[in-house]
Amino acid sequence: MISQVFILSSKGDHLIYKDFRGGAGNDIVSIFYEKVTALTGDQPPVVMNHKDIYFVHIRQGGLYWVATTTAGSSPFTITEFLNRLAALVKDYCGSLSEKSVQMNFALIYELLDEIVDYGYIQTTSSDVLKNFIQTEAVTSRPFSLFDLSNVGLFGAETQQSKVAPSSAATRPIQSSREQGGKSEIFVDVIERMTVVIGSNGLLMKADVEGEIRVKCYMPSCSEMRIGLNEEFSIGKSQLRGYGAAVRVDECSFHQAVRLDEFDSHRILRLCPSQGEQTVMQYQLSDDLPSALPFRLFPTIERDNGGRLLMYMKLRCDLPPKSAAINVCATIPVPKGSVSLSQELSSPDQSAELKPQSRAVVWKIARFAGGTQLSALFKLEVPSLSSASMLEVGPVGLSFELPKITATGLQIRFLRLSPIQPGPSQRWVRYVTHSDSYTIRI
Amino acid sequence: MLCTSMTQQVEQMSSVLRNEDLKEMLESNKESLKLEAMKRIVGLIAKGKSASELFPAVVKNVASKNIELKKLVYVYLVRYAEKQQDLALLSISTFQRALKDPNQFIRASALRVLSSIRVPIIVPIMMLAIKEAAADLSPYVRKTSAHAIQKLYSLDPDQKEQLIEVIEKLLKDKSTLVAGSVVMAFEEVCPDRIDLIHKNYRKLCNLLVDVEEWGQVVIISMLTRYARTQFTSPWTENKAFYDSDSEEKKDQTEAKPYIMDPDHRLLLRNTKPLLQSRNTAVVMAVAQLYWHLAPKHEVSIVTKSLVRLLRSHREVQYIVLQNIATMSIQRKGMFEPFIKSFYVRSTDATHIKTLKLEILTNLANEANISTILREFQTYVKSQDKAFAAATIQAIGRCATNISEVTDTCLNGLVLLLSNRDETVVAESIVVIKKLLQTQPTQHGDIIKHMAKLFDNVTVPMARASILWLMGEYCEKVPKIAPDVLRKMAKTFTAEEDIVKLQTVNLAAKLYLTNSKQTKLLTQYILNLGKYDQNYDIRDRTRFIRQLIVPNEKSGALSKYARRILLAPKPAPGLESAFKDRDRYQLGTLSHSLNLKATGYQELPDWPAVAPDQSVRNVEIVEPCPCVCTESGSESEEESSEDSEKTSSDSGKSSSGSEKSSSESESDQKKKKKTKKAPQKKSKPAGDRYTEIPHCLFPQNDSKKPTFRTSGISLFYMSFQVTTSSFGPLKTYELLHHMTGKGLSAKYHFPRQPCLYQPSMVAVQVILTNSSDHALEEIHIGDQSPASLNIHCFNTIERLEPGASVTVSMGIDFSDSTQAANFQLCTKEDQFSVSIQPAVGELLMASTMTEQDFCKEQGKLQGMNEASATITMATANASRQAINKQVLSVANVGEVPSSQNNFSRFAGQTVSSRALVLVSLELSESSGALLTINTEKSVMASMLLQDLKQALAQA
């Protein structure tokens, strides 16, 4: 049972406030904001109370999504509800930001009105909701040259039209009816890696969590078939033949997915509803099919002048044609490090010392596969002792690998039936993120 | 001052002006302007600003045709109606009209808004609307009426009794859409009326899978509470059994073996598939249900699903980890295989890290401690100091819990003392202090080491800990302790209170053990303490002085000073912060906060003796589905057993494993019977029939056998399906005894709801052995088409020559007249047979009023109507004759008619529950107009043919 729902900006501005059961004080929003900001740490607890009022909040899109509740309901219900609400708002408004929420208050209010009745959640299914929602979303799409670049000279289609801009998937689902039914479907295969490499260079733990996400703008899509790699297997027992099997440990599907062709042909059948949904989630632990994307070879010593020398050699083991982007290594350094001098092997890297987090941050914008980069960091640390040498490490790495999946999962085909009238576009994107990539020193 | 009031005025003015302009827009004729104005008004509401003075202008638009505008007006109305009650009343008639709208969504939305208007005057109107909507044909409207219940209840609690009646009615509803909402209303209005649930318990369990997710959460939590009051505890205490030496006790424990109530099992079985739900709230609800209700060895099924939740949003992660932390204290084994999932990631937020740490500590045992400690070692190095400190605490707890590693941990912690980070050092000291207390022997070295560190440590808690250690073990470090005291005497005034207190303690202890060296120092410190600003310290100083320094006044107490101050002290237990959280129900707000939330309902404890189980039996009066064999009571027993089994299996999914479990249950029951256990009370009702002699059944009509059907959704809409419709049984031949080599089979349609599955048509087959030898193993073999869903009868082991047996089957024809082909097998032979249903047998009768009939008929016009003019046979002129003819063709129910020349019949198809309405209008001559209204147009035309034939013939 939910008493109120409100959305706050990160600065505490009221964006949306809705009272479902009446009788709440007006200052409730400010009480919440005070409580949140009074606490230190990276995130305040999800559930908080002020006298008899219980706040449950989540953070998404840089906003606070808060619900107040009475004791009767489980915090799971509320967090799940808030997450769904955020997802629905994202679907309906196109993107999730302070601006989009502000522009679409009437729409969000209507959504809230349909989702919750007198504090009870009625439905969060977008299929049901689309029958009721009347308000159109307002979007602000700044004029961008990128849109123009798709059109070649004299209107001829260029090569670039085969690639959609990454912002293409951030538009409201309902606007599709007025834009002349531009029906598109976006399929994302997103994987997140968690890796721990021991100080001896051995892999201690490797986990990949992945999901296939579909964002559908088709007003009437009856069925969609997604073909995965045929050699895809689940669990250890059913390895198919020799060679490059794509294996995951566990796999779960969206309720709407029908699996009658999955066992024989690895085809997922589903009737996507409008908006975004996670069709399949899977995970793989310990046994990665390909080599780790990065290896680090560190050498740490003291020089005669009492400085700390860190020689880092970072190798990217991706296939030569692909590359990692936004690579960032965070190397914790001893307390009291004063200054940093660096020698980097190529000009497109940068490094700086962050005294407040006591770490050296080494950034590489683009890192091609099969290459190696090295860096020498000289740190001025007054009162350097042998104990402080122990404070170096472990190194955390964050990166993005476009067009690569760590498990090797690929989408063979994407078919819609019946064949859509008019132009329909299908987009597939693969990306692997680092969730936590730690190299111990 | 003037300035501020000026600006305020200006602001007010401007807001009035702006609202004027909104008012103008609302009063204009253009829809678009009105819409724009309403959007801006809703914007004001959304930001929490007042827009109440626009009420009159807004309320005029409530009857607008534009749905978008209308909805915005509704939003406004709900928000401000309470403040402008008189004006709000103007809008009521609009809603009353909309409540009669043919479109179900409009009816529902009108009810929703009407019930949200908090104006006491309209309570009677609301009550009426809710009652009407609760009987609406559309499940969506009924769902809305369930939601309206709690709104009316909060507006006027005096209506409680009437509202409970509505709840009771809606609880009986078989629609999955309604189930969740009505349980929500039940939980808010009358959570203590558990008696309303009894009859619906099995139905709710069986519907659960198909209820929408938010409803599932509410139903599961309600059923958890219900089960805790109705079933006995499945947590058998084996201890008593093993401990008891005396024979007597042994007998007692043996005499009462725990047998799970089948309804209890039903709940556990039907919630299990929900662990796969996409909704984390559902998963957690099931997890807590298993935790609180399932036998201990079954709880671990939920582990995997909970661990899966850890991949969800971080807010969800946080609460899941809290719950796992509580669970892992009691049941280590559950989560041990997943220990790697709780390793801390560098990207986790601090509070998630500490929770994971907590769980890892709980899971630590002799086998995995080395891995865990290695993991902890890296955590200590973390940049996040709060987390590093928590890790040190965790190491301390592992060390006390697992004695094998205490020394290793202690050494590791001592190494940490040389860490450059102060919080780490301080935390280590505090933990070492606790550890040393548990193992005081031969740790002089560590204490010496700590004394050396003393000058560099500034954290008060750590300094106090070192001082305490010095005092407590001063005999082990006789040289160092006085020196530390000397240092403290110098800095005493600058120390924190907690350090001062420990200094006084140290001084006292040293005075008692080593007074020669420290007498003066102690006196100096006591003097300092005497004039301290803090009264605690002054009190302590005074007390210590009286206790240790002998003088004439201090009587007997100072003799015992040594025993008082230097008594061996019990070691503190290092306990989990989640130790006491299990007093709250898992997954609740109170558990998450570790604080009793207002309105928290405690989970009731198991009853010692289970309340009467028969209250949950749903009784359906129906003729005996006879299983007539020569062997009397034995077969009777089987049939009751049988029906029970099928009833518990009749839920949606009946996979192999489930079946086997229910079989094992009935096995258990059989065992119990042979044992002749003395307690009759806990016997399932089905068993009782075994004690009634078989011959009672046919004579005693009023005592027709009742069969337990666990909430099979026999009825879809609010129509009652009548089972006792008039039916001259037509018997069809299935297998002739010539082709069947002596086995002959006939079948008829008993026109009863099928016991096995609601979508099946019941068929009774009479098997007769007309050969001269016994036939063995009569059963059903291959079926075609394969998709056809047939519930076979149990294999008949032996049929004597001349004997016959009636068995019942269920066939799901999916509302088509295609034949069901299957093989009837005996031990030696197989015969292909087929059952071709007449279209009229695919229906079941329903009762409805004439009014409802006409209403429904109105909805089924056009394509859904088939009619023909027929010439009636003269014999069929009377109403009785017509009824007889129609009912012989189709299983429909007669609708009482006020007009004489009209005959009406209603039924619905068995599989898809589509209404079939038959009406016959007699004209002057022997002609008549026969009309059939149904969505199933093929059926309509077939039925029309059949009826035409039946009515035309004499």
Side-chain angles (χ1 to χ4, degrees):
Chain A
M1 199 160 50
I2 297 159
S3 306
Q4 286 111 22
V5 169
F6 45 92
I7 305 174
L8 298 186
S9 74
S10 53
K11 292 193 279 324
D13 304 329
H14 302 201
L15 300 180
I16 298 281
Y17 173 85
K18 188 156 171 68
D19 192 347
F20 289 107
R21 297 181 69 105
N26 288 326
D27 51 343
I28 225 162
V29 181
S30 37
I31 291 174
F32 169 77
Y33 191 68
E34 273 165 30
K35 275 190 99 75
V36 162
T37 41
L39 288 162
T40 53
D42 34 8
Q43 210 204 345
V46 179
V47 186
M48 291 184 292
N49 75 313
H50 174 77
K51 291 175 191 158
D52 281 354
I53 306 161
Y54 301 94
F55 297 101
V56 179
H57 82 280
I58 62 163
R59 287 205 69 169
Q60 267 195 25
L63 305 169
Y64 291 102
W65 304 70
V66 195
T68 62
T69 176
T70 52
S73 53
S74 129
F76 283 93
T77 315
I78 315 275
T79 42
E80 179 73 19
F81 160 74
L82 290 172
N83 280 322
R84 294 278 177 94
L85 177 67
L88 279 170
V89 170
K90 191 178 170 200
D91 276 351
Y92 275 90
C93 303
S95 61
L96 214 54
S97 66
E98 191 176 332
K99 199 173 172 193
S100 67
V101 169
Q102 243 166 0
M103 282 194 301
N104 289 298
F105 53 81
L107 174 62
I108 296 172
Y109 227 71
E110 192 180 358
L111 266 174
L112 270 174
D113 212 43
E114 293 295 343
I115 297 172
V116 185
D117 182 19
Y118 195 60
Y120 288 95
I121 305 163
Q122 307 235 56
T123 180
T124 46
S125 136
S126 65
D127 280 335
V128 178
L129 285 171
K130 76 175 176 205
N131 299 324
F132 300 114
I133 301 301
Q134 304 289 334
T135 317
E136 295 269 342
V138 188
T139 43
S140 69
R141 182 64 57 77
F143 175 76
S144 140
L145 278 176
F146 201 90
D147 295 338
L148 283 182
S149 66
N150 280 354
V151 184
L153 202 57
F154 309 119
E157 293 240 323
T158 59
Q159 194 60 31
Q160 273 194 316
S161 62
K162 294 210 169 152
V163 182
S166 63
S167 64
T170 60
R171 61 187 171 98
I173 51 172
Q174 284 210 324
S175 65
S176 52
R177 40 179 148 151
E178 60 175 19
Q179 285 179 2
K182 188 186 180 191
S183 46
E184 284 181 300
I185 209 151
F186 295 88
V187 177
D188 284 343
V189 181
I190 301 163
E191 297 192 342
R192 287 184 300 275
M193 290 183 96
T194 305
V195 171
V196 180
I197 301 172
S199 47
N200 49 4
L202 287 179
L203 177 65
M204 293 175 71
K205 185 184 164 197
D207 258 329
V208 178
E209 286 169 16
E211 58 186 35
I212 299 181
R213 224 186 269 164
V214 171
K215 186 149 190 184
C216 175
Y217 289 109
M218 303 266 173
S220 60
C221 178
S222 60
E223 193 184 64
M224 179 170 128
R225 294 165 81 225
I226 305 175
L228 308 180
N229 319 35
E230 286 204 358
E231 61 273 21
F232 181 81
S233 67
I234 303 168
K236 289 199 169 68
S237 54
Q238 42 164 195
L239 274 179
R240 299 186 162 192
Y242 302 99
V246 179
R247 195 183 67 80
V248 299
D249 286 341
E250 247 186 279
C251 203
S252 60
F253 301 93
H254 190 274
Q255 284 146 335
V257 178
R258 283 193 306 275
L259 296 171
D260 34 357
E261 285 183 75
F262 185 72
D263 279 336
S264 50
H265 302 295
R266 300 297 176 202
I267 294 173
L268 305 173
R269 290 170 57 204
L270 77 154
C271 301
S273 43
Q274 283 193 353
E276 191 173 285
Q277 55 225 292
T278 303
V279 170
M280 173 174 147
Q281 281 180 308
Y282 54 91
Q283 70 151 358
L284 170 67
S285 31
D286 291 335
D287 211 5
L288 295 188
S290 51
L292 288 170
F294 294 102
R295 289 263 172 198
L296 181 75
F297 305 95
T299 322
I300 294 164
E301 55 194 28
R302 286 161 80 177
D303 74 349
N304 300 328
R307 284 188 303 181
L308 185 69
L309 297 184
M310 301 193 296
Y311 185 65
M312 300 281 168
K313 213 158 67 171
L314 189 61
R315 198 177 74 204
C316 178
D317 288 339
L318 293 173
K321 277 186 183 169
S322 42
I325 54 171
N326 300 333
V327 182
C328 171
T330 310
I331 310 153
V333 292
K335 191 183 173 189
S337 303
V338 182
S339 66
L340 170 77
S341 66
Q342 54 196 356
E343 288 168 30
L344 301 171
S345 63
S346 68
D348 57 341
Q349 313 167 36
S350 68
E352 60 175 320
L353 176 70
K354 297 249 165 100
Q356 73 278 19
S357 58
R358 285 167 40 200
V360 172
V361 179
W362 178 21
K363 283 183 181 159
I364 305 147
R366 193 188 143 83
F367 198 165
T371 56
Q372 186 166 302
L373 294 176
S374 57
L376 177 64
F377 300 114
K378 291 179 190 160
L379 279 167
E380 206 72 58
V381 189
S383 73
L384 186 71
S385 67
S386 57
S388 55
M389 299 282 282
L390 290 172
E391 290 179 50
V392 178
V395 178
L397 217 56
S398 70
F399 51 84
E400 217 173 293
L401 311 176
K403 292 185 238 169
I404 289 177
T405 53
T407 54
L409 184 84
Q410 299 279 329
I411 291 186
R412 260 189 305 145
F413 59 81
L414 189 66
R415 281 183 203 139
L416 302 171
S417 59
I419 310 295
Q420 293 288 315
S424 69
Q425 281 167 308
R426 292 158 289 167
W427 306 102
V428 178
R429 172 166 68 171
Y430 303 97
V431 67
T432 298
H433 291 284
S434 59
D435 195 2
S436 146
Y437 197 99
T438 311
I439 304 161
R440 292 180 183 161
I441 293 181
Chain B
M1 197 61 197
L2 192 78
C3 190
T4 52
S5 73
M6 277 283 277
T7 49
Q8 263 172 14
Q9 260 183 1
V10 169
E11 244 170 45
Q12 264 176 8
M13 287 280 283
S14 76
S15 89
V16 168
L17 274 180
R18 194 181 53 214
N19 289 345
E20 276 307 316
D21 131 65
L22 283 173
K23 214 179 259 177
E24 246 167 56
M25 286 165 82
L26 282 170
E27 273 155 16
S28 80
N29 289 325
K30 280 189 190 158
E31 291 269 287
S32 59
L33 271 182
K34 286 184 179 181
L35 199 61
E36 178 58 35
M38 276 317 296
K39 275 190 184 167
R40 278 166 58 187
I41 293 171
V42 170
L44 291 178
I45 300 175
K47 292 209 177 73
K49 290 177 188 154
S50 169
S52 61
E53 70 276 7
L54 288 163
F55 201 95
V58 174
V59 85
K60 277 180 206 157
N61 290 306
V62 75
S64 164
K65 289 272 184 312
N66 182 335
I67 299 184
E68 194 177 350
L69 180 61
K70 200 171 182 165
K71 288 189 78 172
L72 292 173
V73 175
Y74 284 179
V75 167
Y76 182 90
L77 202 59
V78 170
R79 173 74 179 76
Y80 288 113
E82 205 170 356
K83 288 182 188 145
Q84 308 248 353
Q85 307 209 346
D86 294 341
L87 284 171
L89 291 177
L90 295 176
S91 62
I92 302 296
S93 62
T94 320
F95 296 121
Q96 280 179 305
R97 224 173 305 133
L99 282 171
K100 302 267 184 316
D101 197 283
N103 183 338
Q104 52 169 343
F105 294 116
I106 294 182
R107 288 203 300 276
S109 115
L111 179 63
R112 193 143 69 86
V113 182
L114 178 69
S115 56
S116 303
I117 295 175
R118 297 180 59 83
V119 177
I121 291 180
I122 64 162
V123 165
I125 299 177
M126 271 162 82
M127 192 71 220
L128 200 69
I130 289 175
K131 277 183 175 166
E132 264 175 25
D136 199 287
L137 286 176
S138 149
Y140 184 72
V141 178
R142 296 205 296 280
K143 175 192 159 87
T144 315
S145 81
H147 274 288
I149 290 172
Q150 52 264 45
K151 293 189 237 175
L152 180 54
Y153 177 64
S154 81
L155 183 62
D156 183 6
D158 294 340
Q159 305 290 326
K160 189 171 177 179
E161 287 312 310
Q162 285 195 60
L163 287 174
I164 290 177
E165 276 169 31
V166 181
I167 290 177
E168 194 174 357
K169 187 176 170 197
L170 285 172
L171 274 172
K172 292 196 183 107
D173 203 296
K174 301 291 193 294
S175 164
T176 51
L177 214 55
V178 184
S181 307
V182 69
V183 172
M184 288 176 195
F186 172 82
E187 289 284 76
E188 181 156 347
V189 178
C190 51
D192 46 339
R193 285 290 301 274
I194 214 116
D195 56 297
L196 296 180
I197 301 299
H198 292 319
K199 290 267 184 248
N200 301 298
Y201 173 81
R202 290 182 194 142
K203 183 197 75 186
L204 284 174
C205 286
N206 284 322
L207 286 184
L208 198 55
V209 191
D210 298 321
V211 175
E212 55 91 37
E213 46 194 7
W214 304 107
Q216 284 172 350
V217 179
V218 183
I219 296 179
I220 292 173
S221 81
M222 188 273 289
L223 288 179
T224 310
R225 217 154 35 82
Y226 179 86
R228 280 295 275 256
T229 57
Q230 299 298 318
F231 307 129
T232 48
S233 166
W235 306 326
T236 40
E237 280 140 34
N238 287 330
K239 267 186 211 154
F241 182 80
Y242 292 119
D243 289 349
S244 65
D245 291 355
S246 62
E247 283 292 299
E248 260 182 20
K249 229 178 179 179
K250 222 171 199 171
D251 281 349
Q252 255 181 6
T253 44
E254 255 177 348
K256 280 188 186 174
Y258 171 74
I259 292 168
M260 188 183 272
D261 189 304
D263 289 325
H264 191 170
R265 173 55 66 201
L266 178 76
L267 175 62
L268 292 178
R269 192 170 48 213
N270 283 1
T271 46
K272 193 176 158 194
L274 297 180
L275 283 173
Q276 303 302 322
S277 173
R278 204 164 58 95
N279 188 323
T280 53
V282 175
V283 177
M284 189 58 218
V286 178
Q288 67 85 21
L289 180 129
Y290 263 80
W291 179 255
H292 291 294
L293 295 182
K296 297 278 189 207
H297 60 275
E298 283 174 41
V299 179
S300 48
I301 339 179
V302 305
T303 317
K304 216 171 174 183
S305 308
L306 284 179
V307 173
R308 188 164 55 88
L309 292 189
L310 292 181
R311 275 175 253 139
S312 195
H313 295 275
R314 55 182 182 168
E315 287 87 4
V316 176
Q317 263 184 51
Y318 173 69
I319 334 180
V320 172
L321 286 171
Q322 279 187 330
N323 283 292
I324 293 182
T326 305
M327 292 166 104
S328 62
I329 292 175
Q330 286 184 31
R331 308 283 307 277
K332 277 187 189 189
M334 248 175 99
F335 293 97
E336 228 184 276
F338 296 91
I339 198 158
K340 273 195 167 177
S341 313
F342 303 109
Y343 284 177
V344 172
R345 294 179 183 174
S346 54
T347 45
D348 287 336
T350 310
H351 61 276
I352 288 184
K353 284 182 190 163
T354 31
L355 277 170
K356 283 188 171 173
L357 207 57
E358 173 71 37
I359 294 168
L360 285 176
T361 317
N362 290 339
L363 293 181
N365 59 21
E366 284 85 351
N368 58 22
I369 183 69
S370 54
T371 3
I372 290 183
L373 280 181
R374 237 192 335 260
E375 200 57 31
F376 281 177
Q377 268 170 21
T378 56
Y379 299 167
V380 172
K381 282 189 183 174
S382 163
Q383 297 289 304
D384 182 346
K385 286 308 151 200
F387 172 57
T391 310
I392 294 166
Q393 290 275 7
I395 295 176
R397 265 180 59 203
C398 287
T400 38
N401 294 344
I402 302 163
S403 52
E404 281 90 337
V405 292
T406 313
D407 285 332
T408 333
C409 290
L410 208 50
N411 289 338
L413 288 171
V414 171
L415 277 182
L416 285 179
L417 293 178
S418 51
N419 195 301
R420 279 158 44 90
D421 194 280
E422 201 162 75
T423 41
V424 172
V425 176
E427 203 64 44
S428 310
I429 290 171
V430 175
V431 173
I432 289 175
K433 178 203 129 188
K434 287 182 184 166
L435 280 182
L436 285 184
Q437 236 178 312
T438 57
Q439 293 209 323
T441 46
Q442 344 114 6
H443 288 305
D445 291 346
I446 296 175
I447 298 171
K448 270 181 211 158
H449 184 75
M450 285 165 80
K452 269 186 221 153
L453 280 173
F454 187 72
D455 293 338
N456 297 323
V457 177
T458 54
V459 177
M461 188 61 208
R463 284 176 79 86
S465 295
I466 296 180
L467 288 177
W468 186 87
L469 275 176
M470 291 289 152
E472 195 62 23
Y473 305 111
C474 52
E475 279 156 331
K476 293 208 174 69
V477 280
K479 287 188 183 145
I480 297 169
D483 195 50
V484 172
L485 188 67
R486 181 185 59 80
K487 282 185 194 160
M488 282 315 295
K490 272 201 243 170
T491 57
F492 186 85
T493 45
E495 295 291 344
E496 289 276 331
D497 292 344
I498 176 173
V499 184
K500 283 178 182 169
L501 281 178
Q502 289 308 328
T503 314
V504 174
N505 272 353
L506 174 65
K509 284 171 186 168
L510 283 177
Y511 182 87
L512 289 176
T513 51
N514 189 1
S515 60
K516 205 193 274 173
Q517 269 186 306
T518 57
K519 191 172 180 181
L520 286 172
L521 266 176
T522 307
Q523 270 170 357
Y524 175 69
I525 286 170
L526 290 178
N527 281 334
L528 283 177
K530 197 173 172 184
Y531 300 107
D532 197 88
Q533 284 185 325
N534 186 309
Y535 52 80
D536 264 350
I537 294 167
R538 292 199 300 274
D539 282 354
R540 177 72 64 90
T541 317
R542 218 167 287 140
F543 164 70
I544 295 282
R545 185 189 292 274
Q546 288 302 317
L547 192 63
I548 59 170
V549 184
N551 55 8
E552 50 287 357
K553 267 188 274 176
S554 69
L557 206 56
S558 62
K559 275 188 226 157
Y560 302 104
R562 202 185 169 88
R563 277 168 71 181
I564 291 170
L565 284 174
L566 289 171
K569 294 168 185 70
L574 293 172
E575 278 189 343
S576 160
F578 282 78
K579 186 92 188 159
D580 55 347
R581 282 215 187 177
D582 56 347
R583 61 201 155 128
Y584 300 115
Q585 190 176 351
L586 284 187
T588 57
L589 208 57
S590 306
H591 177 270
S592 203
L593 285 165
N594 195 17
L595 164 119
K596 192 166 178 164
T598 37
Y600 169 74
Q601 270 189 319
E602 224 159 281
L603 197 63
D605 213 349
W606 298 103
V609 180
D612 188 15
Q613 303 173 316
S614 58
V615 289
R616 284 186 293 278
N617 291 353
V618 182
E619 314 225 328
I620 293 172
V621 180
E622 59 186 1
C624 171
C626 41
V627 183
C628 320
T629 51
E630 284 90 273
S631 51
S633 62
E634 204 184 293
S635 77
E636 197 49 49
E637 186 174 309
E638 210 173 80
S639 84
S640 70
E641 198 82 71
D642 214 275
S643 73
E644 201 167 282
K645 190 167 23 177
T646 51
S647 70
S648 62
D649 260 359
S650 69
K652 254 203 85 177
S653 55
S654 58
S655 67
S657 67
E658 282 175 12
K659 215 165 223 163
S660 71
S661 78
S662 79
E663 261 159 29
S664 69
E665 255 165 57
S666 58
D667 276 352
Q668 275 181 350
K669 242 172 263 158
K670 264 179 201 155
K671 267 182 223 155
K672 196 173 79 180
K673 247 176 258 160
T674 49
K675 266 189 199 162
K676 292 252 182 272
Q679 81 276 30
K680 267 186 192 164
K681 211 171 181 184
S682 69
K683 273 192 170 186
D687 280 5
R688 267 176 227 153
Y689 295 121
T690 61
E691 284 150 29
I692 304 169
H694 173 60
C695 57
L696 269 181
F697 282 122
Q699 286 97 330
N700 199 345
D701 260 7
S702 62
K703 247 194 169 181
K704 279 176 186 166
T706 52
F707 278 80
R708 309 197 330 166
T709 55
S710 55
I712 306 171
S713 40
L714 295 172
F715 327 109
Y716 182 60
M717 298 201 167
S718 55
F719 314 120
Q720 284 295 311
V721 174
T722 45
T723 52
S724 58
S725 76
F726 159 83
L729 288 179
K730 262 190 212 167
T731 311
Y732 307 87
E733 180 119 282
L734 187 65
L735 182 67
H736 193 262
H737 68 92
M738 293 304 282
T739 38
K741 295 183 184 168
L743 178 70
S744 73
K746 288 176 175 169
Y747 67 93
H748 64 262
F749 297 96
R751 295 193 174 178
Q752 289 157 1
C754 182
L755 284 172
Y756 310 115
Q757 260 180 35
S759 63
M760 284 181 170
V761 177
V763 181
Q764 284 192 354
V765 182
I766 305 157
L767 299 163
T768 316
N769 184 359
S770 40
S771 68
D772 49 1
H773 58 274
L775 292 171
E776 287 179 335
E777 289 180 23
I778 304 172
H779 61 276
I780 288 178
D782 291 339
Q783 304 157 8
S784 79
S787 62
L788 202 67
N789 195 359
I790 297 185
H791 190 285
C792 311
F793 55 83
N794 286 356
T795 304
I796 295 162
E797 293 300 341
R798 189 178 170 85
L799 193 62
E800 295 298 335
S804 71
V805 60
T806 307
V807 289
S808 37
M809 300 170 57
I811 303 176
D812 189 349
F813 288 105
S814 328
D815 293 347
S816 77
T817 50
Q818 61 163 333
N821 301 310
F822 54 90
Q823 286 189 318
L824 198 59
C825 310
T826 63
K827 200 175 181 184
E828 294 94 17
D829 290 300
Q830 297 178 339
F831 312 104
S832 294
V833 294
S834 77
I835 294 182
Q836 172 95 44
V839 65
E841 303 296 346
L842 300 177
L843 305 177
M844 38 188 195
S846 39
T847 45
M848 51 172 31
T849 62
E850 191 175 3
Q851 205 181 357
D852 282 341
F853 186 93
C854 295
K855 200 162 144 197
E856 287 302 314
Q857 198 175 26
K859 288 182 194 165
L860 293 166
Q861 297 289 347
M863 287 282 286
N864 297 328
E865 189 175 87
S867 64
T869 324
I870 54 170
T871 336
M872 303 276 282
T874 41
N876 291 340
S878 72
R879 177 166 285 244
Q880 281 80 11
I882 290 173
N883 283 359
K884 192 179 163 194
Q885 288 299 341
V886 172
L887 295 183
S888 73
V889 170
N891 184 14
V892 287
E894 194 193 351
V895 175
S897 171
S898 55
Q899 293 145 294
N900 222 358
N901 59 341
F902 259 104
S903 296
R904 294 190 174 91
F905 304 90
Q908 32 183 303
T909 63
V910 174
S911 287
S912 59
R913 311 286 150 137
L915 271 181
V916 178
L917 306 172
V918 179
S919 53
L920 189 67
E921 187 186 0
L922 295 174
S923 58
E924 296 303 306
S925 57
S926 58
L929 181 68
L930 180 65
T931 314
I932 294 173
N933 298 74
T934 180
E935 287 169 10
K936 306 261 168 188
S937 48
V938 181
M939 282 185 108
S941 60
M942 289 171 81
L943 191 60
L944 196 66
Q945 281 303 319
D946 287 0
L947 284 172
K948 208 167 159 181
Q949 212 175 6
L951 291 167
Q953 70 184 209

